[in-house]
Amino acid sequence: MIELDSLEMLERMLQASQEKVIMLLKHSNTCPISSMAFESYKALDEAEINHAPRYLVVVQKHRELSQQIATTLKVAHQSPQLIVIRGAEAQGHISHYQIRPKKVLSLLSEAAL
């Protein structure tokens, strides 16, 4: 898992999404719902997700970056929030209690088409 901490890293992640599907989790380190989502995100099996790179933004540490992600990907900010990215665009997103392995795998499958 790669923690985004700069606009430059965001740009590199978006460039990488031109070649493969990327997952990004916006995480709040003070929210119990976000903690549950984070654990689900970490527990995803690499084979199940086709080795899709996983990124993380801790919103308390990188508030401006989190807002830039929302603007760039045209996805209203939520936390926790999982965004599936392909071709530098959001292909789908889920938040809060939806962030569970089955739903994440479904989003990845849709984005890979």
Side-chain angles (χ1 to χ4, degrees):
M1 190 175 319
I2 302 164
E3 185 172 342
L4 291 180
D5 63 7
S6 68
L7 292 174
E8 293 80 19
M9 285 186 76
L10 172 61
E11 283 302 315
R12 286 195 301 270
M13 181 198 71
L14 293 172
Q15 285 292 338
S17 77
Q18 298 292 348
E19 297 177 19
K20 57 186 135 190
V21 175
I22 304 282
M23 293 190 302
L24 171 64
L25 180 69
K26 289 175 134 185
H27 171 60
S28 168
N29 57 14
T30 59
C31 171
I33 298 169
S34 193
S35 292
M36 290 185 330
F38 181 64
E39 290 304 317
S40 287
Y41 188 62
K42 285 190 329 187
L44 289 166
D45 182 84
E46 288 296 318
E48 283 184 311
I49 62 170
N50 266 345
H51 304 281
R54 285 186 270 189
Y55 289 82
L56 173 74
V57 172
V58 179
V59 297
Q60 287 90 346
K61 289 170 54 178
H62 304 290
R63 197 166 304 279
E64 287 181 32
L65 180 59
S66 179
Q67 290 302 324
Q68 185 61 49
I69 290 166
T71 300
T72 300
L73 296 176
K74 300 177 178 95
V75 175
H77 168 77
Q78 295 186 58
S79 177
Q81 181 178 45
L82 181 110
I83 306 170
V84 174
I85 305 160
R86 184 171 147 228
E89 295 182 357
Q91 300 298 311
H93 59 94
I94 53 178
S95 66
H96 295 82
Y97 293 109
Q98 293 179 321
I99 303 173
R100 295 290 179 251
K102 187 174 181 179
K103 184 69 173 175
V104 172
L105 295 174
S106 176
L107 274 178
L108 283 173
S109 177
E110 291 170 18
L113 297 177

